[in-house]
Amino acid sequence: MPTDLMRASAPPASRPASARIFNIVVIALTTALVELQLVGLALLERSHAHAIQMSFPREAAACTDSPDAAVPQIPYD
């Protein structure tokens, strides 16, 4: 019977090592997730900037189609 009591009270030796490995894996996964989010954000900003850049020529072309818009001339000295 004393051996059963000693076996039940003694923590397994591999438990702290597995907890440490688990923490390392969790930190690595969290780091990878943050990096993926940053890459996604950079791609989103790049595509948004590209979309805005592409929209300006279309708007300018639409403005030149109407001859009714009079542009006042600024006299130069």
Side-chain angles (χ1 to χ4, degrees):
M1 265 234 176
T3 57
D4 290 337
L5 182 61
M6 288 176 56
R7 196 179 306 150
S9 64
S14 63
R15 187 159 211 129
S18 65
R20 203 170 298 131
I21 291 172
F22 177 76
N23 286 339
I24 291 171
V25 169
V26 168
I27 290 170
L29 288 174
T30 303
T31 303
L33 181 62
V34 169
E35 287 178 3
L36 282 174
Q37 288 177 338
L38 290 174
V39 168
L41 182 63
L43 290 174
L44 182 66
E45 287 184 6
R46 183 178 176 188
S47 67
H48 181 68
H50 183 69
I52 289 177
Q53 184 181 15
M54 293 301 291
S55 69
F56 282 124
R58 286 188 209 133
E59 290 175 4
C63 291
T64 58
D65 289 342
S66 62
D68 298 332
V71 179
Q73 295 294 328
I74 300 174
Y76 294 105
D77 290 335

